[in-house]
Amino acid sequence: MNRISITPEAEHLLSVLKTSFGELVFHQSGGCCDGSSPMCFQKDDFKIGFHDVCLGTISNTEFWMSGDQFEYWKHTHLTLDIVKGRGSSFSLEIPTGFRFIIHSRLFSAKEIQSLEPIRYRNEEDWVETAQKLKLPIAGHSASIVPGISSFLAD
């Protein structure tokens, strides 16, 4: 059972955005203002945090949520949709006159038993990011930054 799905209308808008911007990613932070709305970014323009949770992939686009926000939403199936109107976020769809929204419903007890596993950023992601940023890497694994293995285990 997947945790996230997309309506045909949202999928069409996502396709239009991919044509203009290339590979994309969704993130829902739960922050202030429009932060609790799903936001669409170019994949390389948004940095996924170590405590962010990947709920799944919709139309070949990952959907991430902050770990704190996920604690509130972990018992729900989310559907990405669009509505007419302009939000006040930095999400890529804002100039189109539409904005992404989430519809949710609680999972049934049977669905909870068959949920796909969530995933977090892992140490390999961190190493890749550190290399792109040209941060010093001493050896491999936990020696990158003291305590990173215990941090990632949280």
PDB file of all heavy atoms in Angstrom, residues 92-129:
ATOM      1  N   LEU A  92       7.042  25.828  -7.433  1.00  0.00           N
ATOM      2  CA  LEU A  92       7.141  26.135  -8.857  1.00  0.00           C
ATOM      3  C   LEU A  92       5.806  26.354  -9.563  1.00  0.00           C
ATOM      4  O   LEU A  92       5.756  27.028 -10.581  1.00  0.00           O
ATOM      5  CB  LEU A  92       7.906  25.012  -9.577  1.00  0.00           C
ATOM      6  CG  LEU A  92       9.385  24.890  -9.227  1.00  0.00           C
ATOM      7  CD1 LEU A  92       9.974  23.647  -9.887  1.00  0.00           C
ATOM      8  CD2 LEU A  92      10.145  26.140  -9.656  1.00  0.00           C
ATOM      9  N   GLU A  93       4.721  25.822  -9.031  1.00  0.00           N
ATOM     10  CA  GLU A  93       3.438  25.952  -9.725  1.00  0.00           C
ATOM     11  C   GLU A  93       2.758  27.291  -9.492  1.00  0.00           C
ATOM     12  O   GLU A  93       1.791  27.633 -10.186  1.00  0.00           O
ATOM     13  CB  GLU A  93       2.486  24.812  -9.322  1.00  0.00           C
ATOM     14  CG  GLU A  93       1.726  25.018  -8.020  1.00  0.00           C
ATOM     15  CD  GLU A  93       2.528  24.747  -6.766  1.00  0.00           C
ATOM     16  OE1 GLU A  93       3.714  24.391  -6.870  1.00  0.00           O
ATOM     17  OE2 GLU A  93       1.960  24.879  -5.687  1.00  0.00           O
ATOM     18  N   ILE A  94       3.209  28.075  -8.557  1.00  0.00           N
ATOM     19  CA  ILE A  94       2.519  29.303  -8.167  1.00  0.00           C
ATOM     20  C   ILE A  94       2.207  30.227  -9.359  1.00  0.00           C
ATOM     21  O   ILE A  94       1.080  30.697  -9.484  1.00  0.00           O
ATOM     22  CB  ILE A  94       3.302  30.035  -7.057  1.00  0.00           C
ATOM     23  CG1 ILE A  94       3.376  29.156  -5.795  1.00  0.00           C
ATOM     24  CG2 ILE A  94       2.676  31.386  -6.730  1.00  0.00           C
ATOM     25  CD1 ILE A  94       2.050  28.676  -5.257  1.00  0.00           C
ATOM     26  N   PRO A  95       3.141  30.485 -10.277  1.00  0.00           N
ATOM     27  CA  PRO A  95       2.814  31.384 -11.406  1.00  0.00           C
ATOM     28  C   PRO A  95       1.763  30.828 -12.376  1.00  0.00           C
ATOM     29  O   PRO A  95       1.248  31.568 -13.206  1.00  0.00           O
ATOM     30  CB  PRO A  95       4.154  31.563 -12.120  1.00  0.00           C
ATOM     31  CG  PRO A  95       5.185  31.215 -11.118  1.00  0.00           C
ATOM     32  CD  PRO A  95       4.564  30.175 -10.247  1.00  0.00           C
ATOM     33  N   THR A  96       1.418  29.552 -12.280  1.00  0.00           N
ATOM     34  CA  THR A  96       0.466  28.957 -13.222  1.00  0.00           C
ATOM     35  C   THR A  96      -0.985  29.278 -12.881  1.00  0.00           C
ATOM     36  O   THR A  96      -1.878  28.984 -13.680  1.00  0.00           O
ATOM     37  CB  THR A  96       0.613  27.418 -13.263  1.00  0.00           C
ATOM     38  OG1 THR A  96       0.161  26.874 -12.012  1.00  0.00           O
ATOM     39  CG2 THR A  96       2.036  26.996 -13.565  1.00  0.00           C
ATOM     40  N   GLY A  97      -1.227  29.833 -11.696  1.00  0.00           N
ATOM     41  CA  GLY A  97      -2.600  30.088 -11.271  1.00  0.00           C
ATOM     42  C   GLY A  97      -3.226  28.909 -10.556  1.00  0.00           C
ATOM     43  O   GLY A  97      -4.412  28.918 -10.232  1.00  0.00           O
ATOM     44  N   PHE A  98      -2.431  27.875 -10.299  1.00  0.00           N
ATOM     45  CA  PHE A  98      -2.870  26.711  -9.536  1.00  0.00           C
ATOM     46  C   PHE A  98      -1.906  26.519  -8.376  1.00  0.00           C
ATOM     47  O   PHE A  98      -0.785  27.027  -8.391  1.00  0.00           O
ATOM     48  CB  PHE A  98      -2.878  25.439 -10.399  1.00  0.00           C
ATOM     49  CG  PHE A  98      -3.936  25.452 -11.461  1.00  0.00           C
ATOM     50  CD1 PHE A  98      -3.651  25.928 -12.732  1.00  0.00           C
ATOM     51  CD2 PHE A  98      -5.204  24.992 -11.187  1.00  0.00           C
ATOM     52  CE1 PHE A  98      -4.613  25.953 -13.719  1.00  0.00           C
ATOM     53  CE2 PHE A  98      -6.186  25.013 -12.165  1.00  0.00           C
ATOM     54  CZ  PHE A  98      -5.890  25.484 -13.442  1.00  0.00           C
ATOM     55  N   ARG A  99      -2.323  25.747  -7.415  1.00  0.00           N
ATOM     56  CA  ARG A  99      -1.421  25.374  -6.331  1.00  0.00           C
ATOM     57  C   ARG A  99      -1.708  23.942  -5.917  1.00  0.00           C
ATOM     58  O   ARG A  99      -2.832  23.458  -6.031  1.00  0.00           O
ATOM     59  CB  ARG A  99      -1.539  26.327  -5.162  1.00  0.00           C
ATOM     60  CG  ARG A  99      -2.889  26.291  -4.487  1.00  0.00           C
ATOM     61  CD  ARG A  99      -2.949  27.237  -3.345  1.00  0.00           C
ATOM     62  NE  ARG A  99      -1.850  26.934  -2.450  1.00  0.00           N
ATOM     63  CZ  ARG A  99      -1.683  27.437  -1.266  1.00  0.00           C
ATOM     64  NH1 ARG A  99      -2.538  28.297  -0.813  1.00  0.00           N
ATOM     65  NH2 ARG A  99      -0.674  27.102  -0.515  1.00  0.00           N
ATOM     66  N   PHE A 100      -0.657  23.264  -5.496  1.00  0.00           N
ATOM     67  CA  PHE A 100      -0.805  21.885  -5.025  1.00  0.00           C
ATOM     68  C   PHE A 100      -1.397  21.900  -3.621  1.00  0.00           C
ATOM     69  O   PHE A 100      -1.078  22.765  -2.807  1.00  0.00           O
ATOM     70  CB  PHE A 100       0.548  21.163  -5.013  1.00  0.00           C
ATOM     71  CG  PHE A 100       1.087  20.860  -6.381  1.00  0.00           C
ATOM     72  CD1 PHE A 100       2.183  21.540  -6.872  1.00  0.00           C
ATOM     73  CD2 PHE A 100       0.489  19.897  -7.178  1.00  0.00           C
ATOM     74  CE1 PHE A 100       2.690  21.264  -8.129  1.00  0.00           C
ATOM     75  CE2 PHE A 100       0.976  19.614  -8.448  1.00  0.00           C
ATOM     76  CZ  PHE A 100       2.084  20.296  -8.918  1.00  0.00           C
ATOM     77  N   ILE A 101      -2.268  20.936  -3.362  1.00  0.00           N
ATOM     78  CA  ILE A 101      -2.834  20.736  -2.031  1.00  0.00           C
ATOM     79  C   ILE A 101      -2.828  19.245  -1.720  1.00  0.00           C
ATOM     80  O   ILE A 101      -2.605  18.424  -2.618  1.00  0.00           O
ATOM     81  CB  ILE A 101      -4.276  21.288  -1.905  1.00  0.00           C
ATOM     82  CG1 ILE A 101      -5.225  20.544  -2.860  1.00  0.00           C
ATOM     83  CG2 ILE A 101      -4.314  22.784  -2.120  1.00  0.00           C
ATOM     84  CD1 ILE A 101      -6.689  20.756  -2.545  1.00  0.00           C
ATOM     85  N   ILE A 102      -3.099  18.920  -0.486  1.00  0.00           N
ATOM     86  CA  ILE A 102      -3.171  17.528  -0.047  1.00  0.00           C
ATOM     87  C   ILE A 102      -4.571  17.218   0.456  1.00  0.00           C
ATOM     88  O   ILE A 102      -5.155  17.996   1.208  1.00  0.00           O
ATOM     89  CB  ILE A 102      -2.150  17.268   1.092  1.00  0.00           C
ATOM     90  CG1 ILE A 102      -0.735  17.259   0.558  1.00  0.00           C
ATOM     91  CG2 ILE A 102      -2.455  15.975   1.840  1.00  0.00           C
ATOM     92  CD1 ILE A 102      -0.383  16.069  -0.313  1.00  0.00           C
ATOM     93  N   HIS A 103      -5.105  16.085   0.010  1.00  0.00           N
ATOM     94  CA  HIS A 103      -6.315  15.511   0.609  1.00  0.00           C
ATOM     95  C   HIS A 103      -5.818  14.319   1.425  1.00  0.00           C
ATOM     96  O   HIS A 103      -4.882  13.619   1.005  1.00  0.00           O
ATOM     97  CB  HIS A 103      -7.285  14.998  -0.455  1.00  0.00           C
ATOM     98  CG  HIS A 103      -7.794  16.061  -1.371  1.00  0.00           C
ATOM     99  ND1 HIS A 103      -8.684  17.032  -0.970  1.00  0.00           N
ATOM    100  CD2 HIS A 103      -7.525  16.307  -2.681  1.00  0.00           C
ATOM    101  CE1 HIS A 103      -8.949  17.818  -1.986  1.00  0.00           C
ATOM    102  NE2 HIS A 103      -8.259  17.413  -3.047  1.00  0.00           N
ATOM    103  N   SER A 104      -6.437  14.084   2.554  1.00  0.00           N
ATOM    104  CA  SER A 104      -5.983  12.951   3.367  1.00  0.00           C
ATOM    105  C   SER A 104      -7.164  12.150   3.884  1.00  0.00           C
ATOM    106  O   SER A 104      -8.279  12.656   3.991  1.00  0.00           O
ATOM    107  CB  SER A 104      -5.140  13.452   4.546  1.00  0.00           C
ATOM    108  OG  SER A 104      -5.933  14.232   5.419  1.00  0.00           O
ATOM    109  N   ARG A 105      -6.870  10.898   4.160  1.00  0.00           N
ATOM    110  CA  ARG A 105      -7.833  10.015   4.808  1.00  0.00           C
ATOM    111  C   ARG A 105      -7.055   9.043   5.675  1.00  0.00           C
ATOM    112  O   ARG A 105      -5.885   8.748   5.402  1.00  0.00           O
ATOM    113  CB  ARG A 105      -8.687   9.266   3.793  1.00  0.00           C
ATOM    114  CG  ARG A 105      -7.890   8.273   2.969  1.00  0.00           C
ATOM    115  CD  ARG A 105      -8.784   7.340   2.160  1.00  0.00           C
ATOM    116  NE  ARG A 105      -7.992   6.433   1.349  1.00  0.00           N
ATOM    117  CZ  ARG A 105      -7.394   5.333   1.793  1.00  0.00           C
ATOM    118  NH1 ARG A 105      -7.482   4.980   3.057  1.00  0.00           N
ATOM    119  NH2 ARG A 105      -6.686   4.561   0.970  1.00  0.00           N
ATOM    120  N   LEU A 106      -7.666   8.562   6.728  1.00  0.00           N
ATOM    121  CA  LEU A 106      -7.001   7.601   7.598  1.00  0.00           C
ATOM    122  C   LEU A 106      -6.876   6.256   6.892  1.00  0.00           C
ATOM    123  O   LEU A 106      -7.769   5.849   6.149  1.00  0.00           O
ATOM    124  CB  LEU A 106      -7.776   7.424   8.904  1.00  0.00           C
ATOM    125  CG  LEU A 106      -7.774   8.612   9.847  1.00  0.00           C
ATOM    126  CD1 LEU A 106      -8.709   8.350  11.024  1.00  0.00           C
ATOM    127  CD2 LEU A 106      -6.366   8.912  10.327  1.00  0.00           C
ATOM    128  N   PHE A 107      -5.753   5.587   7.143  1.00  0.00           N
ATOM    129  CA  PHE A 107      -5.599   4.228   6.644  1.00  0.00           C
ATOM    130  C   PHE A 107      -6.511   3.300   7.435  1.00  0.00           C
ATOM    131  O   PHE A 107      -6.741   3.503   8.632  1.00  0.00           O
ATOM    132  CB  PHE A 107      -4.157   3.722   6.843  1.00  0.00           C
ATOM    133  CG  PHE A 107      -3.158   4.328   5.910  1.00  0.00           C
ATOM    134  CD1 PHE A 107      -2.103   5.076   6.406  1.00  0.00           C
ATOM    135  CD2 PHE A 107      -3.241   4.118   4.544  1.00  0.00           C
ATOM    136  CE1 PHE A 107      -1.162   5.626   5.560  1.00  0.00           C
ATOM    137  CE2 PHE A 107      -2.297   4.668   3.681  1.00  0.00           C
ATOM    138  CZ  PHE A 107      -1.260   5.418   4.202  1.00  0.00           C
ATOM    139  N   SER A 108      -6.996   2.259   6.788  1.00  0.00           N
ATOM    140  CA  SER A 108      -7.724   1.212   7.506  1.00  0.00           C
ATOM    141  C   SER A 108      -6.694   0.346   8.234  1.00  0.00           C
ATOM    142  O   SER A 108      -5.494   0.383   7.924  1.00  0.00           O
ATOM    143  CB  SER A 108      -8.532   0.350   6.532  1.00  0.00           C
ATOM    144  OG  SER A 108      -7.658  -0.435   5.726  1.00  0.00           O
ATOM    145  N   ALA A 109      -7.153  -0.439   9.177  1.00  0.00           N
ATOM    146  CA  ALA A 109      -6.249  -1.337   9.900  1.00  0.00           C
ATOM    147  C   ALA A 109      -5.565  -2.300   8.927  1.00  0.00           C
ATOM    148  O   ALA A 109      -4.376  -2.593   9.068  1.00  0.00           O
ATOM    149  CB  ALA A 109      -7.018  -2.112  10.969  1.00  0.00           C
ATOM    150  N   LYS A 110      -6.298  -2.765   7.926  1.00  0.00           N
ATOM    151  CA  LYS A 110      -5.723  -3.682   6.930  1.00  0.00           C
ATOM    152  C   LYS A 110      -4.649  -2.969   6.107  1.00  0.00           C
ATOM    153  O   LYS A 110      -3.594  -3.540   5.824  1.00  0.00           O
ATOM    154  CB  LYS A 110      -6.826  -4.226   6.025  1.00  0.00           C
ATOM    155  CG  LYS A 110      -6.352  -5.254   5.032  1.00  0.00           C
ATOM    156  CD  LYS A 110      -7.508  -5.808   4.222  1.00  0.00           C
ATOM    157  CE  LYS A 110      -6.996  -6.843   3.238  1.00  0.00           C
ATOM    158  NZ  LYS A 110      -8.089  -7.399   2.429  1.00  0.00           N
ATOM    159  N   GLU A 111      -4.906  -1.723   5.706  1.00  0.00           N
ATOM    160  CA  GLU A 111      -3.933  -0.967   4.919  1.00  0.00           C
ATOM    161  C   GLU A 111      -2.650  -0.717   5.712  1.00  0.00           C
ATOM    162  O   GLU A 111      -1.552  -0.798   5.160  1.00  0.00           O
ATOM    163  CB  GLU A 111      -4.531   0.371   4.477  1.00  0.00           C
ATOM    164  CG  GLU A 111      -5.580   0.235   3.403  1.00  0.00           C
ATOM    165  CD  GLU A 111      -6.278   1.543   3.097  1.00  0.00           C
ATOM    166  OE1 GLU A 111      -6.475   2.370   4.025  1.00  0.00           O
ATOM    167  OE2 GLU A 111      -6.629   1.746   1.923  1.00  0.00           O
ATOM    168  N   ILE A 112      -2.775  -0.426   6.980  1.00  0.00           N
ATOM    169  CA  ILE A 112      -1.596  -0.169   7.817  1.00  0.00           C
ATOM    170  C   ILE A 112      -0.662  -1.372   7.807  1.00  0.00           C
ATOM    171  O   ILE A 112       0.562  -1.220   7.780  1.00  0.00           O
ATOM    172  CB  ILE A 112      -2.005   0.226   9.247  1.00  0.00           C
ATOM    173  CG1 ILE A 112      -2.583   1.644   9.232  1.00  0.00           C
ATOM    174  CG2 ILE A 112      -0.831   0.119  10.215  1.00  0.00           C
ATOM    175  CD1 ILE A 112      -3.144   2.116  10.543  1.00  0.00           C
ATOM    176  N   GLN A 113      -1.229  -2.569   7.779  1.00  0.00           N
ATOM    177  CA  GLN A 113      -0.420  -3.790   7.777  1.00  0.00           C
ATOM    178  C   GLN A 113       0.362  -3.982   6.481  1.00  0.00           C
ATOM    179  O   GLN A 113       1.365  -4.691   6.460  1.00  0.00           O
ATOM    180  CB  GLN A 113      -1.311  -5.016   8.021  1.00  0.00           C
ATOM    181  CG  GLN A 113      -2.019  -5.006   9.347  1.00  0.00           C
ATOM    182  CD  GLN A 113      -1.057  -4.931  10.523  1.00  0.00           C
ATOM    183  OE1 GLN A 113      -0.038  -5.613  10.542  1.00  0.00           O
ATOM    184  NE2 GLN A 113      -1.371  -4.087  11.495  1.00  0.00           N
ATOM    185  N   SER A 114      -0.069  -3.334   5.404  1.00  0.00           N
ATOM    186  CA  SER A 114       0.588  -3.558   4.111  1.00  0.00           C
ATOM    187  C   SER A 114       1.262  -2.299   3.554  1.00  0.00           C
ATOM    188  O   SER A 114       1.526  -2.225   2.351  1.00  0.00           O
ATOM    189  CB  SER A 114      -0.432  -4.084   3.101  1.00  0.00           C
ATOM    190  OG  SER A 114      -1.438  -3.121   2.870  1.00  0.00           O
ATOM    191  N   LEU A 115       1.565  -1.326   4.411  1.00  0.00           N
ATOM    192  CA  LEU A 115       2.188  -0.093   3.936  1.00  0.00           C
ATOM    193  C   LEU A 115       3.599  -0.322   3.422  1.00  0.00           C
ATOM    194  O   LEU A 115       4.361  -1.108   3.998  1.00  0.00           O
ATOM    195  CB  LEU A 115       2.253   0.939   5.066  1.00  0.00           C
ATOM    196  CG  LEU A 115       0.956   1.643   5.402  1.00  0.00           C
ATOM    197  CD1 LEU A 115       1.146   2.529   6.631  1.00  0.00           C
ATOM    198  CD2 LEU A 115       0.472   2.461   4.228  1.00  0.00           C
ATOM    199  N   GLU A 116       3.933   0.381   2.350  1.00  0.00           N
ATOM    200  CA  GLU A 116       5.311   0.376   1.877  1.00  0.00           C
ATOM    201  C   GLU A 116       6.169   1.059   2.927  1.00  0.00           C
ATOM    202  O   GLU A 116       5.729   2.001   3.585  1.00  0.00           O
ATOM    203  CB  GLU A 116       5.423   1.138   0.550  1.00  0.00           C
ATOM    204  CG  GLU A 116       4.740   0.466  -0.603  1.00  0.00           C
ATOM    205  CD  GLU A 116       4.818   1.286  -1.882  1.00  0.00           C
ATOM    206  OE1 GLU A 116       5.429   2.373  -1.878  1.00  0.00           O
ATOM    207  OE2 GLU A 116       4.261   0.829  -2.882  1.00  0.00           O
ATOM    208  N   PRO A 117       7.397   0.620   3.107  1.00  0.00           N
ATOM    209  CA  PRO A 117       8.256   1.263   4.112  1.00  0.00           C
ATOM    210  C   PRO A 117       8.633   2.678   3.697  1.00  0.00           C
ATOM    211  O   PRO A 117       8.766   2.975   2.502  1.00  0.00           O
ATOM    212  CB  PRO A 117       9.491   0.364   4.166  1.00  0.00           C
ATOM    213  CG  PRO A 117       9.483  -0.399   2.895  1.00  0.00           C
ATOM    214  CD  PRO A 117       8.052  -0.481   2.432  1.00  0.00           C
ATOM    215  N   ILE A 118       8.776   3.549   4.687  1.00  0.00           N
ATOM    216  CA  ILE A 118       9.273   4.893   4.423  1.00  0.00           C
ATOM    217  C   ILE A 118      10.788   4.827   4.390  1.00  0.00           C
ATOM    218  O   ILE A 118      11.385   3.831   4.795  1.00  0.00           O
ATOM    219  CB  ILE A 118       8.811   5.895   5.505  1.00  0.00           C
ATOM    220  CG1 ILE A 118       9.299   5.440   6.877  1.00  0.00           C
ATOM    221  CG2 ILE A 118       7.313   6.076   5.455  1.00  0.00           C
ATOM    222  CD1 ILE A 118       9.150   6.473   7.949  1.00  0.00           C
ATOM    223  N   ARG A 119      11.407   5.873   3.884  1.00  0.00           N
ATOM    224  CA  ARG A 119      12.864   5.901   3.941  1.00  0.00           C
ATOM    225  C   ARG A 119      13.322   7.303   4.305  1.00  0.00           C
ATOM    226  O   ARG A 119      12.625   8.282   4.078  1.00  0.00           O
ATOM    227  CB  ARG A 119      13.495   5.417   2.646  1.00  0.00           C
ATOM    228  CG  ARG A 119      13.332   6.294   1.459  1.00  0.00           C
ATOM    229  CD  ARG A 119      14.030   5.680   0.234  1.00  0.00           C
ATOM    230  NE  ARG A 119      13.710   6.393  -0.961  1.00  0.00           N
ATOM    231  CZ  ARG A 119      14.398   7.443  -1.407  1.00  0.00           C
ATOM    232  NH1 ARG A 119      15.454   7.869  -0.757  1.00  0.00           N
ATOM    233  NH2 ARG A 119      14.029   8.062  -2.508  1.00  0.00           N
ATOM    234  N   TYR A 120      14.490   7.343   4.896  1.00  0.00           N
ATOM    235  CA  TYR A 120      15.131   8.587   5.287  1.00  0.00           C
ATOM    236  C   TYR A 120      16.373   8.762   4.431  1.00  0.00           C
ATOM    237  O   TYR A 120      16.813   7.839   3.767  1.00  0.00           O
ATOM    238  CB  TYR A 120      15.565   8.532   6.757  1.00  0.00           C
ATOM    239  CG  TYR A 120      14.427   8.392   7.725  1.00  0.00           C
ATOM    240  CD1 TYR A 120      13.927   7.145   8.082  1.00  0.00           C
ATOM    241  CD2 TYR A 120      13.842   9.514   8.286  1.00  0.00           C
ATOM    242  CE1 TYR A 120      12.887   7.021   8.965  1.00  0.00           C
ATOM    243  CE2 TYR A 120      12.798   9.391   9.188  1.00  0.00           C
ATOM    244  CZ  TYR A 120      12.326   8.152   9.524  1.00  0.00           C
ATOM    245  OH  TYR A 120      11.278   8.029  10.409  1.00  0.00           O
ATOM    246  N   ARG A 121      16.936   9.956   4.491  1.00  0.00           N
ATOM    247  CA  ARG A 121      18.255  10.135   3.865  1.00  0.00           C
ATOM    248  C   ARG A 121      19.217   9.219   4.584  1.00  0.00           C
ATOM    249  O   ARG A 121      19.116   8.996   5.783  1.00  0.00           O
ATOM    250  CB  ARG A 121      18.713  11.574   4.016  1.00  0.00           C
ATOM    251  CG  ARG A 121      18.006  12.466   3.048  1.00  0.00           C
ATOM    252  CD  ARG A 121      18.739  13.721   2.767  1.00  0.00           C
ATOM    253  NE  ARG A 121      20.127  13.507   2.461  1.00  0.00           N
ATOM    254  CZ  ARG A 121      21.019  14.475   2.444  1.00  0.00           C
ATOM    255  NH1 ARG A 121      20.671  15.698   2.741  1.00  0.00           N
ATOM    256  NH2 ARG A 121      22.273  14.236   2.142  1.00  0.00           N
ATOM    257  N   ASN A 122      20.172   8.710   3.875  1.00  0.00           N
ATOM    258  CA  ASN A 122      21.137   7.822   4.501  1.00  0.00           C
ATOM    259  C   ASN A 122      22.535   8.421   4.448  1.00  0.00           C
ATOM    260  O   ASN A 122      22.756   9.481   3.869  1.00  0.00           O
ATOM    261  CB  ASN A 122      21.100   6.437   3.853  1.00  0.00           C
ATOM    262  CG  ASN A 122      21.365   6.515   2.365  1.00  0.00           C
ATOM    263  OD1 ASN A 122      22.117   7.354   1.891  1.00  0.00           O
ATOM    264  ND2 ASN A 122      20.742   5.625   1.610  1.00  0.00           N
ATOM    265  N   GLU A 123      23.471   7.738   5.037  1.00  0.00           N
ATOM    266  CA  GLU A 123      24.837   8.242   5.103  1.00  0.00           C
ATOM    267  C   GLU A 123      25.452   8.418   3.723  1.00  0.00           C
ATOM    268  O   GLU A 123      26.198   9.357   3.484  1.00  0.00           O
ATOM    269  CB  GLU A 123      25.695   7.297   5.953  1.00  0.00           C
ATOM    270  CG  GLU A 123      27.027   7.891   6.301  1.00  0.00           C
ATOM    271  CD  GLU A 123      27.743   7.112   7.379  1.00  0.00           C
ATOM    272  OE1 GLU A 123      27.096   6.396   8.137  1.00  0.00           O
ATOM    273  OE2 GLU A 123      28.973   7.228   7.448  1.00  0.00           O
ATOM    274  N   GLU A 124      25.103   7.530   2.776  1.00  0.00           N
ATOM    275  CA  GLU A 124      25.642   7.668   1.426  1.00  0.00           C
ATOM    276  C   GLU A 124      25.177   8.990   0.801  1.00  0.00           C
ATOM    277  O   GLU A 124      25.927   9.650   0.098  1.00  0.00           O
ATOM    278  CB  GLU A 124      25.229   6.483   0.550  1.00  0.00           C
ATOM    279  CG  GLU A 124      25.941   5.188   0.898  1.00  0.00           C
ATOM    280  CD  GLU A 124      25.368   4.512   2.148  1.00  0.00           C
ATOM    281  OE1 GLU A 124      24.179   4.738   2.473  1.00  0.00           O
ATOM    282  OE2 GLU A 124      26.116   3.794   2.812  1.00  0.00           O
ATOM    283  N   ASP A 125      23.908   9.379   1.074  1.00  0.00           N
ATOM    284  CA  ASP A 125      23.429  10.676   0.591  1.00  0.00           C
ATOM    285  C   ASP A 125      24.265  11.799   1.184  1.00  0.00           C
ATOM    286  O   ASP A 125      24.600  12.764   0.516  1.00  0.00           O
ATOM    287  CB  ASP A 125      21.961  10.901   0.985  1.00  0.00           C
ATOM    288  CG  ASP A 125      21.001  10.007   0.219  1.00  0.00           C
ATOM    289  OD1 ASP A 125      21.359   9.555  -0.878  1.00  0.00           O
ATOM    290  OD2 ASP A 125      19.905   9.773   0.740  1.00  0.00           O
ATOM    291  N   TRP A 126      24.583  11.651   2.467  1.00  0.00           N
ATOM    292  CA  TRP A 126      25.356  12.699   3.131  1.00  0.00           C
ATOM    293  C   TRP A 126      26.750  12.792   2.518  1.00  0.00           C
ATOM    294  O   TRP A 126      27.255  13.882   2.279  1.00  0.00           O
ATOM    295  CB  TRP A 126      25.455  12.428   4.632  1.00  0.00           C
ATOM    296  CG  TRP A 126      25.921  13.644   5.361  1.00  0.00           C
ATOM    297  CD1 TRP A 126      25.130  14.595   5.923  1.00  0.00           C
ATOM    298  CD2 TRP A 126      27.272  14.066   5.573  1.00  0.00           C
ATOM    299  NE1 TRP A 126      25.902  15.580   6.468  1.00  0.00           N
ATOM    300  CE2 TRP A 126      27.225  15.281   6.264  1.00  0.00           C
ATOM    301  CE3 TRP A 126      28.513  13.547   5.229  1.00  0.00           C
ATOM    302  CZ2 TRP A 126      28.365  15.972   6.632  1.00  0.00           C
ATOM    303  CZ3 TRP A 126      29.646  14.249   5.604  1.00  0.00           C
ATOM    304  CH2 TRP A 126      29.567  15.436   6.292  1.00  0.00           C
ATOM    305  N   VAL A 127      27.371  11.665   2.252  1.00  0.00           N
ATOM    306  CA  VAL A 127      28.704  11.658   1.642  1.00  0.00           C
ATOM    307  C   VAL A 127      28.644  12.351   0.282  1.00  0.00           C
ATOM    308  O   VAL A 127      29.490  13.188  -0.041  1.00  0.00           O
ATOM    309  CB  VAL A 127      29.247  10.217   1.501  1.00  0.00           C
ATOM    310  CG1 VAL A 127      30.515  10.189   0.650  1.00  0.00           C
ATOM    311  CG2 VAL A 127      29.506   9.611   2.862  1.00  0.00           C
ATOM    312  N   GLU A 128      27.634  12.028  -0.525  1.00  0.00           N
ATOM    313  CA  GLU A 128      27.498  12.646  -1.840  1.00  0.00           C
ATOM    314  C   GLU A 128      27.350  14.162  -1.709  1.00  0.00           C
ATOM    315  O   GLU A 128      27.983  14.927  -2.430  1.00  0.00           O
ATOM    316  CB  GLU A 128      26.285  12.057  -2.559  1.00  0.00           C
ATOM    317  CG  GLU A 128      26.080  12.622  -3.949  1.00  0.00           C
ATOM    318  CD  GLU A 128      24.861  12.014  -4.640  1.00  0.00           C
ATOM    319  OE1 GLU A 128      24.470  10.887  -4.305  1.00  0.00           O
ATOM    320  OE2 GLU A 128      24.304  12.701  -5.505  1.00  0.00           O
ATOM    321  N   THR A 129      26.526  14.601  -0.768  1.00  0.00           N
ATOM    322  CA  THR A 129      26.344  16.037  -0.551  1.00  0.00           C
ATOM    323  C   THR A 129      27.643  16.680  -0.094  1.00  0.00           C
ATOM    324  O   THR A 129      28.030  17.751  -0.577  1.00  0.00           O
ATOM    325  CB  THR A 129      25.232  16.289   0.490  1.00  0.00           C
ATOM    326  OG1 THR A 129      24.022  15.726  -0.007  1.00  0.00           O
ATOM    327  CG2 THR A 129      25.033  17.771   0.758  1.00  0.00           C
TER     328      THR A 129
END
